[in-house]
Amino acid sequence: MGGAFLAAAVLARLGGRIGLPTIPLFILAGILLGPHTPGYTLLSNPHDLEMLSALGLVLLLFYLGLEFHMDDLRTGGRKMAVAGGTYLALNVGAGLGFGFALGWGASEALVLAGVLGISSSAIVTKILVDLGRIGNPETRPILGIIVVEDVFLALYLAALQPILSGADSLPAALADGGKAFGFLLLLALAARFGTKAVGKLMNTKDDELLVISFLGVAVFVAGVSEMFGVADAIGAFMVGLMLGSTSSAARILKLVHPLRDAFGAIFFFAFGLSIDPGDLPSVLWPVLAAVVLTLAMNIAAGLAAAKVYSFGAQATANIATTLVARGEFALILATMAAAAGLDERLSPFIAGYVLLLAVLAPLAAGRSHWLAGVLPGGRGKDGDQDRERVAVPA
């Protein structure tokens, strides 16, 4: 495990010097030191990190739940719903059609719909911070689309779990789905009405006790969720949603951050261990086709969002390029697909797709003015470029 942390840290430091995000570098570290790559093998069995990897996934979604608030949807109003819904319709729809076009199977197509359809909130947020665009006018709809995607993700994973579990018949599948949605509804009700009770449970001035308490609740509920057919990560997300409304939310957010980073790195590293680079050439053309499709759908979604918010060409280009990144959610779906025994080509496809887009996204976002120049009104008529410069907070 120490070697995994160090390898991930070294590659991330090197990549940071040229502006690359950490997620693809953590995966690359796992690939290079895994059993399928010639040279030194750090771990011959990826399952050795299985529990730590699961903990990383749980903490990633728990953290996301902490940052998410239902008020975000209410204050965003109709514009946020329209922009987010349009983004999902274009990208998830294109991903589903692409999955069926590949002919790998119906379950595989449903997985690919989520893989191609949902952005990486971790990479998107990092891009916004690194480029100094937090104060830009188009950043609010970007974050709004991310919020809508998060809500969709919770429902989508809950619906997908019974399908991937391979129920023997339609009644069995409906029963599994009903059980999963029932438990998800119970968690949602707890998040809505149980905040005060949970807040009292977490109410302590001792940071040590607080860490043990929120970790215990998050991991326990994640495990129980799995028993009811709901993805463990979604159980953790709902706990984060609940704790995010308590008086201890700010302290929990600060305390869980280093844990999320550490074990999240192990999650991505462990995923890299399972990838055989020799399988990547077999999915090269599907990966390139999926990347081109994603870029096209993001430009279309950017144009739609810009129309809703009355933005000009530069803001449109910023929306389109910033949301291109795919990351942690695609890998969650890859993990679920592998556990369900779906087509073996899915894992290398998702790995190649995530790696390529995770590298391209920050590069494209930093050069969004190239795209703005070819969009309608992109010859400096709307002054977006100037607004972007003055909107950066001091």
Side-chain angles (χ1 to χ4, degrees):
M1 188 174 72
F5 278 128
L6 289 173
V10 169
L11 273 184
R13 280 173 175 265
L14 293 175
R17 294 179 183 273
I18 55 174
L20 294 180
T22 56
I23 289 176
L25 296 167
F26 292 156
I27 299 172
L28 182 61
I31 293 174
L32 293 176
L33 296 176
H36 307 295
T37 304
Y40 178 73
T41 298
L42 180 66
L43 283 167
S44 57
N45 186 3
H47 293 292
D48 289 342
L49 293 178
E50 188 170 10
M51 184 60 70
L52 294 172
S53 174
L55 180 58
L57 180 57
V58 163
L59 289 174
L60 281 169
L61 269 291
F62 173 70
Y63 184 86
L64 192 63
L66 283 171
E67 289 196 316
F68 177 86
H69 297 285
M70 291 304 294
D71 291 340
D72 292 341
L73 278 179
R74 287 194 287 268
T75 56
R78 185 184 65 85
K79 287 184 177 181
M80 183 187 295
V82 171
T86 302
Y87 187 91
L88 285 171
L90 287 170
N91 285 272
V92 174
L96 185 63
F98 181 79
F100 280 117
L102 285 179
W104 290 356
S107 295
E108 286 79 0
L110 290 171
V111 170
L112 288 172
V115 170
L116 271 66
I118 301 177
S119 306
S120 166
S121 55
I123 299 178
V124 168
T125 304
K126 185 173 177 60
I127 289 173
L128 291 172
V129 172
D130 290 349
L131 294 179
R133 292 180 180 170
I134 294 297
N136 280 26
E138 74 275 4
T139 295
R140 184 173 177 82
I142 288 174
L143 296 178
I145 290 172
I146 291 294
V147 168
V148 174
E149 285 184 319
D150 292 343
V151 175
F152 173 79
L153 175 73
L155 298 174
Y156 191 72
L157 288 184
L160 196 60
Q161 186 77 11
I163 297 173
L164 297 185
S165 65
D168 297 330
S169 62
L170 180 60
L174 292 175
D176 288 345
K179 185 172 67 172
F181 275 107
F183 184 72
L184 193 63
L185 179 61
L186 181 64
L187 289 177
L189 290 173
R192 177 66 179 85
F193 300 106
T195 302
K196 288 185 178 180
V198 176
K200 290 181 180 179
L201 176 66
M202 295 293 150
N203 189 19
T204 175
K205 295 181 179 179
D206 190 315
D207 285 350
E208 180 185 14
L209 291 178
L210 184 58
V211 169
I212 294 171
S213 298
F214 73 68
L215 272 181
V217 174
V219 175
F220 179 78
V221 173
V224 174
S225 298
E226 218 172 35
M227 294 172 59
F228 281 88
V230 177
D232 52 1
I234 293 306
F237 175 83
M238 297 303 292
V239 172
L241 190 66
M242 196 183 310
L243 298 185
S245 301
T246 67
S247 58
S248 302
R251 287 174 61 208
I252 294 173
L253 199 65
K254 181 179 179 181
L255 291 169
V256 78
H257 199 284
L259 295 171
R260 182 209 68 174
D261 288 346
F263 290 100
I266 292 295
F267 169 70
F268 296 122
F269 181 88
F271 181 76
L273 288 176
S274 66
I275 300 301
D276 185 348
D279 293 336
L280 294 177
S282 66
V283 293
L284 176 61
W285 293 113
V287 165
L288 293 177
V291 167
V292 171
L293 179 63
T294 300
L295 293 173
M297 289 300 102
N298 271 264
I299 292 173
L303 288 168
K307 187 174 183 180
V308 170
Y309 285 89
S310 301
F311 286 147
Q314 184 58 54
T316 302
N318 288 349
I319 293 172
T321 54
T322 303
L323 288 168
V324 160
R326 299 296 186 264
E328 61 274 17
F329 299 144
L331 301 186
I332 291 170
L333 290 168
T335 303
M336 291 174 63
L342 299 187
D343 196 301
E344 293 181 354
R345 291 171 291 185
L346 269 179
S347 286
F349 171 86
I350 294 173
Y353 176 74
V354 168
L355 280 169
L356 194 52
L357 278 184
V359 171
L360 283 177
L363 299 177
R367 294 159 180 79
S368 59
H369 57 280
W370 293 354
L371 175 61
V374 300
L375 292 176
R379 297 297 178 183
K381 297 178 182 178
D382 52 25
D384 277 349
Q385 193 76 29
D386 295 332
R387 282 207 303 274
E388 179 176 334
R389 283 196 291 267
V390 301
V392 177

